[in-house]
Amino acid sequence: MKKKSRRDRGQIITTSGLKKLNETIEQWKQQYNLRGTLAEIEAEFGVGSDTISKIRQRRVSADLSKIQQLFAAFGLTLDETDYRSGKKSSSQKESEPLAQLIQLLNEQQILTQNSFQIFISYHTQDPDQELARQFKKVLTAAGHQVFMLAEHIRLGENWFRRINKELKRCDYLLLFLPPQSAQSELLTYQVQLARELQFSRPDRKPIILPIRVGFSLGTALNHDLRGYLYRIQQREWRSPEDTVIILKEVLTLLATRVSNILPEIEKQKQISLSEEISSIASANFPPLPSAEPEIPGGQIDVASRFYIERPPIEERCYQTILQPSGLIRIKAPRQMGKTSLMARILHHAALQGYRTVPLSFQLVDKEVFSNLEKFLKWFCAYVGRELHLPNQLHNYWDDISGSKVNCKDYFEKYLLAQIDHPLVLGLDEIDRVFQYPDIAEDFLGLLRGWHEESKRRAIWKKLRLLVVHSTEVYIPMNINQSPFNVGLPIDLPEFNSQQVKDLASRHNLRWSESEVERLMAIVGGHPYLVRVALYHISKQYLTLEDLPANIMSETGIYSDHLRRHLWNLEEYPELVAAMRNVVYEKSPGELTGILGFKLDSLGLVKWKDNKYHPRCELYRQYFQVHL
């Protein structure tokens, strides 16, 4: 039997080759009205599903003959630019365009007299990893200090704390965004921390430079990333030809005086963070009859077929929000679907002609919370801007009446008076306000006062409130001043087995009851965890049988999600001790109220039979190993 040559082994399809292949597969799907699953391709062309998955994911090198076979199956010619070696020799590395990149430093217009600290965030797979390596080499040659996670963290070092430390000291965050970024919680956290640092410092550092690797600017990021990167200009890398172009732009930017960049940062502070959500909520998008499985992450689009209703919750909310004095309180741990439900309620109200303003407090800059007056002025200006009304704060704000009275007057005499239809305020992640007790007590009391006014006065009957939060309200408040003991309370539950089975069928999985039970034995009915598993199984990246071994792997489908939770816990030693007691069942019922609230808001525990338990077996197993 003839041995394969070394050239035939260890090949990876290039970005341009993958684009060519995917476009052809898409045409084939549309021509024959197929979903384009791995099983369908295997049945039609005889190419093994494992081989197809390996080639299209580009995670593991494949035999050249297999890549040729797949291309030939779709009538494509495999060119030399469509693949490359997975392992490069030193001579091959020298032939890369890296020499051309370094030559850019000789151009006078991109030389800089400054040395910057640059944090490169990247996905540890090619092409992201290779791009990061190239950028590091050129930036270092230009005299900059570059930090890359995989290269600079020592064995045994707490990499969560190191990331925090490096982000705080860096001038620029060079962000390589892979297609998987929609699901990456750690990447989202890095961007969140960078934005918080940016708006808490006079120099507005670190400046974020986002580069999308292998997916278009038209592809949606997850809900939080859309907010954090809103109006920050992004670049798209599609092939190695783009490397020189983008790198030259970065070098030119670094040679620019920082003062020339800061005005653009200042403009970002004036931009609405919810314009995208508003457009969704106000549009009449019917659910799609069919769709490819969606990568789970953040808010589910109102047009998505993967939103699972939890009757009678949706219908009760739709009815309540249309009633005068309507107030809905949605409470659930993170990633349980609160924001998705809020978007649907706002969408329903918009279809009735109501004005809607969604506001996520998680995306509000820290400096807004410096005092009550500044916060309420910002709140009034934000709502007015979303209603496309000119800022008239100077006409309604005085130093004598007090900020709460001024805020009430602004809504009553200006905002509500200017609109002809009811207004629904969707206040998401209001837990953020709880962190500032002096502001929270007055602001929440103000909302309760407006709700009571709506029962007596016609002008306030225009206002409907939708309040979304993760934790119990642990701020002591007068029972007559709290908005959390009035209105319609909604405590979002986990999915039951029938809902999980329904979601599986929407992922084109014809599961039996026993298969549903096997999944729920690991992740319970947690909506996000269930969707992640169903997505990967439906895409044939793994099987249900593989899941128990996969969940504890450092590269498993939940690894990013679990590390994010571990990161959050390690920031607060008291939470680590509390969670350790829960997973090892050491006095889990004796947690103090505030610790229980915090673990519950993170979605890590649930209260049952008068004590706390891990929310699912996945969390129990993971934290028994890592705490």
Side-chain angles (χ1 to χ4, degrees), residues 279-299:
S279 63
I280 291 174
S282 61
N284 184 10
F285 289 133
L288 299 175
S290 62
E292 278 290 295
E294 300 169 349
I295 297 178
Q299 174 191 326

Side-chain angles (χ1 to χ4, degrees), residues 4-41:
K4 293 180 180 178
S5 69
R6 290 188 177 183
R7 288 190 58 187
D8 290 339
R9 296 181 178 181
Q11 303 298 315
I12 295 177
I13 189 172
T14 62
T15 302
S16 57
L18 181 61
K19 181 180 179 182
K20 180 197 296 185
L21 178 62
N22 284 342
E23 287 176 350
T24 304
I25 292 176
E26 188 63 32
Q27 293 171 2
W28 172 70
K29 286 163 50 180
Q30 294 177 3
Q31 181 179 356
Y32 295 100
N33 194 26
L34 297 170
R35 292 184 290 109
T37 64
L38 299 181
E40 288 175 339
I41 297 175

Side-chain angles (χ1 to χ4, degrees), residues 449-600:
W450 293 353
H451 173 68
E452 297 300 333
E453 288 276 7
S454 69
K455 299 176 182 178
R456 299 188 294 267
R457 301 178 56 203
I459 187 69
W460 285 99
K461 291 185 185 297
K462 288 184 179 181
L463 182 65
R464 316 293 158 82
L465 295 173
L466 180 54
V467 179
V468 181
H469 59 112
S470 298
T471 66
E472 297 288 353
V473 186
Y474 49 80
I475 299 172
M477 293 192 68
N478 185 313
I479 192 172
N480 297 315
Q481 296 178 340
S482 172
F484 295 98
N485 57 0
V486 292
L488 174 67
I490 299 294
D491 200 339
L492 276 184
E494 294 186 347
F495 290 156
N496 58 37
S497 58
Q498 189 56 46
Q499 289 163 338
V500 173
K501 187 174 183 180
D502 181 11
L503 187 55
S505 69
R506 299 187 192 196
H507 283 80
N508 304 304
L509 298 171
R510 298 178 180 178
W511 274 11
S512 65
E513 297 291 345
S514 63
E515 288 171 306
V516 170
E517 290 173 2
R518 285 162 60 190
L519 175 61
M520 295 185 71
I522 298 172
V523 299
H526 191 296
Y528 174 75
L529 299 180
V530 168
R531 282 199 66 208
V532 169
L534 293 178
Y535 170 80
H536 285 85
I537 293 171
S538 66
K539 298 292 284 186
Q540 300 187 17
Y541 297 154
L542 79 163
T543 66
L544 182 58
E545 290 71 24
D546 298 331
L547 192 59
N550 179 276
I551 63 173
M552 297 306 292
S553 167
E554 286 298 317
T555 58
I557 62 174
Y558 297 121
S559 58
D560 193 43
H561 172 84
L562 294 169
R563 280 196 293 263
R564 168 70 188 273
H565 276 308
L566 184 62
W567 193 347
N568 285 332
L569 289 177
E570 289 184 338
E571 289 295 303
Y572 305 97
E574 68 277 12
L575 289 184
V576 171
M579 190 64 190
R580 186 184 295 117
N581 286 342
V582 172
V583 297
Y584 285 108
E585 299 184 352
K586 296 178 180 179
S587 306
E590 297 178 6
L591 292 181
T592 60
I594 189 67
L595 293 179
F597 290 160
K598 288 183 176 180
L599 290 178
D600 182 47

Side-chain angles (χ1 to χ4, degrees), residues 368-397:
V368 170
F369 296 99
S370 58
N371 60 67
L372 180 64
E373 181 169 5
K374 186 169 189 175
F375 174 79
L376 292 181
K377 277 187 174 181
W378 172 88
F379 181 66
C380 290
Y382 182 94
V383 175
R385 186 168 62 243
E386 292 301 295
L387 294 173
H388 306 291
L389 295 174
N391 188 323
Q392 297 289 330
L393 284 172
H394 60 281
N395 292 330
Y396 294 90
W397 218 272

